[in-house]
């Protein structure tokens, strides 16, 4: 989030932050007090339900165990379980008998652990009953009853029989109280239902045949707690799960109390913040806005009128009096600056023009020096001798042909030399025209912002690269794009800026002392802006001094003075709605000048091209320099 720029916004932001921190602190404090208390109450309620559920299951199974123990205390008249026959089954394991006992299944297991008889009550058809008898016998047969009892007279556990969960009671079968020997085991089973558990627990309960481990678990939802209590089997592991659904009344009550407490404290803080905001706006912000408005009027109109002072004796009143004192001093200084600015501006403008003219005249001086120092390609004496021999009539033919070839070669060399001289002079003439154009431009726009037009920056780079090759004695390899790339700029000023940048690059290469180097110009266009990079492999500079390179009077070379070129270039580019910066990785690693200008309008450029073609009488566009 951005920090507001106004003082009022900052104060409001600070007060809001203080309010938020205070609200969060109060919320955490209340949450640390209220929430744990109600959570403890809820945990105790859950623990009570967890304790009651196994107790209810145990009581339910205890009834079945008691019935099995009573049924196992046989008298002398009930000796049939020891040697069961056809009469024993209907008498001892009849449906009526199981109903009287209140069980759903009965079984007799011999002392050796073999299931002698197993019957299940419930299914309507005989086939279904036989199937349930088989499942019940299988469940009992998989249990080691002797291991379960461990010498006790009876025991109880739970088991799954088909799709039901039954409480199993196991007891020894004895002849009489005097006969302590075991005659086998009687097993009674009673199905436990969700309704029975709900009645015992006074809670909504259900029996789930799936298991989630041998320990209870509690799952929370938005408004309820789901408690899962395992139903333990004979092997000590869960065979099913009793699930309870408990409303979270206690925790919901605690949450409501917390919300009410937080809401109350938040409203109180908001009220305090509103009062503080109004007081700050009245005592601080409104007087500061009055001073700010007066400063804006001074800035827009330029009239240094004084602020109306009030009778306040606090910091705001002192600020107003200090502001009026500053305005009085500024009024005096303005008169002095206006007198000095005209002379200074005229001096800087003249120095800048001379600097650019010097850069443009430097190639002309180099070309003229090369022409003056150039020696004739062939000595005149051999030529005169050859012409005299050709004038003789008795000259042999072979000699005549050799002399004619010699004279032709001399003429060709002289022609080549003249052509080279003509090209160099043409380059000098362009440089001279550039100088005259600079002077003319300076005269026409001495007190105006440069008029922007559509320029082909590739053409300007190519022309200045041709001139820059003659600036120093080093051998420079230039590389630049073929273009075209259109920009909005003053063509003359842009040419001077690029010429200055090329001149600085050549000086950096010459200062490195290798005698050769390269300058590469790259142009790219993106989002309505054209970026020009002029990269050299010269001496470079430290990145720390990059911001100072455009300061007036700064130079990286001790033997030079001035430092006007880059200062003027930066100001000129800024006047053309562009930007200029210099970058380098360090001394000896070269440098790059990055010039950014607004992209030119292609339609306007096409219109200019068409008008030029009409003026010259040609329908074909002008060829561009490579």
């Amino acid at each position: 989030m951005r920090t507001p720029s106004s003082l009022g916004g900052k104060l409001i932001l600070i007060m809001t932050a203080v309010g938020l921190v205070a609200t969060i602190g109060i919320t955490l404090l209340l949450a640390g007090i209220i929430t744990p208390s109600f959570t403890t109450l809820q945990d105790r309620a859950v623990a009570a339900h967890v304790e009651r559920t196994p107790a209810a299951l145990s009581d339910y199974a205890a009834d079945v165990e008691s019935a099995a123990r009573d049924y196992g205390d046989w008298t002398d008249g009930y000796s049939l379980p020891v040697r069961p026959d056809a009469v024993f089954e209907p008498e001892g394991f009849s449906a009526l008998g199981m109903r009287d006992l209140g069980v759903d299944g009965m079984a007799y297991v011999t002392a050796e652990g073999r299931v002698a008889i197993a019957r299940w009550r419930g299914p309507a058809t005989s086939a279904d009953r036989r199937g349930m008898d088989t499942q019940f016998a299988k469940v009992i047969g998989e249990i080691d009853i002797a291991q379960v009892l461990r010498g006790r007279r009876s025991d109880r556990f739970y088991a799954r029989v088909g799709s039901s969960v039954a409480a199993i009671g196991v007891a020894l079968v004895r002849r009489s109280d005097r006969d302590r020997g075991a005659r086998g085991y009687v097993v009674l089973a009673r199905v436990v239902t969700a309704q029975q558990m709900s009645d015992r627990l006074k809670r909504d309960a259900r029996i789930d045949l799936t298991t989630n481990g041998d320990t209870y678990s509690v799952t929370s939802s938005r408004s309820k707690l789901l408690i899962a209590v395992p139903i333990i089997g004979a092997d000590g592991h869960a065979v099913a799960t009793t699930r309870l659904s408990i409303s979270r009344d206690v925790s919901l009550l605690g949450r409501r109390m917390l919300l009410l407490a937080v809401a109350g404290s938040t409203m109180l803080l908001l009220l305090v913040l509103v009062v503080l905001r109004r007081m700050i706006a009245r005592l601080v912000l409104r007087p500061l806005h009055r001073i700010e408005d007066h400063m804006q009027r001074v800035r827009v109109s330029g009239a240094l009128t004084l602020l109306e002072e009030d009778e306040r004796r606090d910091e705001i009143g002192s600020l107003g009096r200090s502001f009026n004192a500053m305005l009085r001093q500024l009024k005096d200084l303005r008169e002095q600056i206006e007198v000095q600015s005209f002379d200074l501006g005229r001096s800087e403008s003249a120095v800048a023009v001379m600097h650019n003219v010097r850069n443009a005249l430097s190639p002309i001086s180099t070309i003229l020096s090369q022409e003056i120092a150039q020696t004739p390609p062939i000595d005149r004496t051999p030529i005169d001798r050859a012409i005299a021999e050709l004038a003789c009539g008795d000259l042999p033919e072979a000699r005549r042909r050799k002399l004619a070839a010699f004279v032709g070669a001399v003429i060709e060399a002289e022609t080549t030399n003249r052509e080279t001289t003509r090209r160099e002079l043409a380059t000098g003439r362009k440089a001279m025209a550039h100088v005259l154009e600079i002077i003319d431009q300076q005269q026409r726009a001495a007190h105006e912002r440069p008029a922007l037009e559509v320029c082909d920056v590739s053409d300007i780079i190519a022309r200045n690269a041709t001139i820059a090759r003659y600036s120093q004695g080093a051998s420079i390899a230039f590389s630049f794009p073929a273009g075209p790339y259109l920009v909005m700029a003053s063509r003359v000023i842009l040419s001077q800026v690029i010429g200055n940048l090329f001149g600085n690059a050549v000086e950096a290469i010459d200062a490195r002392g290798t005698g050769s180097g390269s300058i590469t110009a790259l142009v790219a266009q993106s989002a309505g802006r054209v970026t020009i990079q002029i990269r050299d492999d010269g001496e470079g500079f430290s990145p720390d001094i990059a911001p100072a390179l455009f300061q007036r009077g700064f130079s990286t070379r001790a033997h030079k003075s001035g430092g006007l070129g880059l200062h003027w270039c930066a100001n000129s580019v800024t006047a053309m709605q562009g930007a200029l910066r210099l970058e380098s990785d360090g001394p000896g690693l070269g440098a790059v000048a990055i010039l950014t200008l607004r992209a030119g309008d292609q339609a306007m450029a096409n219109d200019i091209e068409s008008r030029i073609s009409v003026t010259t009488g040609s329908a074909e566009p002008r060829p561009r320099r490579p």
Side-chain angles (χ1 to χ4, degrees), residues 202-271:
K202 307 302 181 183
R203 288 283 180 181
D204 183 20
R206 63 187 181 90
I207 305 297
D208 191 354
L209 297 180
T210 60
T211 60
N212 296 325
D214 297 336
T215 58
Y216 76 92
S217 62
V218 180
T219 305
S220 300
S221 65
R222 185 175 182 83
S223 59
K224 292 183 179 296
L225 288 175
L226 302 178
I227 303 175
V229 180
I231 301 176
I232 305 302
D235 57 354
H237 297 290
V239 297
T241 305
T242 302
R243 299 190 181 275
L244 304 177
S245 179
I246 302 174
S247 177
R248 301 182 61 180
D249 296 335
V250 176
S251 60
L252 292 177
L253 177 60
R255 187 180 303 172
R256 292 191 187 98
M257 291 185 62
L258 177 61
L259 291 177
L260 290 174
V262 171
S265 61
T266 302
M267 292 298 296
L268 179 60
L269 286 174
L270 288 177
L271 180 62

Side-chain angles (χ1 to χ4, degrees), residues 525-530 597-600:
Q525 182 173 346
S526 176
R529 306 289 289 181
V530 175
L597 295 169
R598 187 159 54 94

Side-chain angles (χ1 to χ4, degrees), residues 52-309:
R52 288 175 57 196
T53 302
L57 290 171
S58 179
D59 292 343
Y60 187 82
D63 295 339
V64 181
E65 178 188 358
S66 177
R69 183 163 41 185
D70 293 341
Y71 196 79
D73 290 337
W74 299 92
T75 63
D76 293 338
Y78 286 91
S79 60
L80 290 177
V82 181
R83 293 183 298 278
D85 55 15
V87 181
F88 172 75
E89 180 177 350
E91 292 184 357
F93 286 80
S94 64
L96 183 59
M98 286 189 286
R99 186 179 62 185
D100 293 338
L101 290 174
V103 296
D104 297 285
M106 299 180 64
Y108 170 66
V109 182
T110 65
E112 294 79 13
R114 180 179 59 84
V115 179
I117 300 173
R119 292 292 180 266
W120 190 264
R121 179 174 65 93
T125 63
S126 59
D128 292 339
R129 283 196 298 271
R130 286 193 296 271
M132 289 300 296
D133 293 345
T134 303
Q135 292 185 22
F136 182 46
K138 182 180 178 181
V139 171
I140 299 303
E142 292 176 351
I143 299 173
D144 188 355
I145 296 179
Q147 180 66 26
V148 172
L149 293 179
R150 294 181 182 177
R152 294 188 297 270
R153 180 180 173 187
S154 62
D155 201 356
R156 58 185 179 268
F157 56 87
Y158 281 87
R160 285 182 56 181
V161 181
S163 60
S164 303
V165 178
I168 307 296
V170 182
L172 292 172
V173 177
R174 298 182 300 170
R175 291 282 306 235
S176 65
D177 293 338
R178 296 184 300 275
D179 186 4
R180 302 298 181 180
R183 302 301 182 182
Y185 309 96
V186 63
V187 180
L188 300 182
R190 181 183 297 169
V191 174
V192 58
T193 63
Q195 184 61 42
Q196 291 170 340
M197 291 303 300
S198 299
D199 294 340
R200 287 178 175 267
L201 296 174
K202 307 302 181 183
R203 288 283 180 181
D204 183 20
R206 63 187 181 90
I207 305 297
D208 191 354
L209 297 180
T210 60
T211 60
N212 296 325
D214 297 336
T215 58
Y216 76 92
S217 62
V218 180
T219 305
S220 300
S221 65
R222 185 175 182 83
S223 59
K224 292 183 179 296
L225 288 175
L226 302 178
I227 303 175
V229 180
I231 301 176
I232 305 302
D235 57 354
H237 297 290
V239 297
T241 305
T242 302
R243 299 190 181 275
L244 304 177
S245 179
I246 302 174
S247 177
R248 301 182 61 180
D249 296 335
V250 176
S251 60
L252 292 177
L253 177 60
R255 187 180 303 172
R256 292 191 187 98
M257 291 185 62
L258 177 61
L259 291 177
L260 290 174
V262 171
S265 61
T266 302
M267 292 298 296
L268 179 60
L269 286 174
L270 288 177
L271 180 62
V272 173
L273 290 178
V274 169
V275 174
L276 287 177
R277 179 179 177 180
R278 289 183 177 274
M279 296 303 297
I280 291 175
R282 179 180 177 182
L283 298 178
V284 179
L285 297 182
R286 191 178 300 171
L288 289 179
H289 287 161
R290 186 172 65 89
I291 297 175
E292 182 184 7
D293 292 340
H294 185 78
M295 293 175 67
Q296 292 293 336
R297 288 194 296 270
V298 170
R299 182 182 65 84
V300 174
S301 63
L304 301 178
T305 56
L306 299 181
L307 175 67
E308 295 182 3
E309 298 184 5

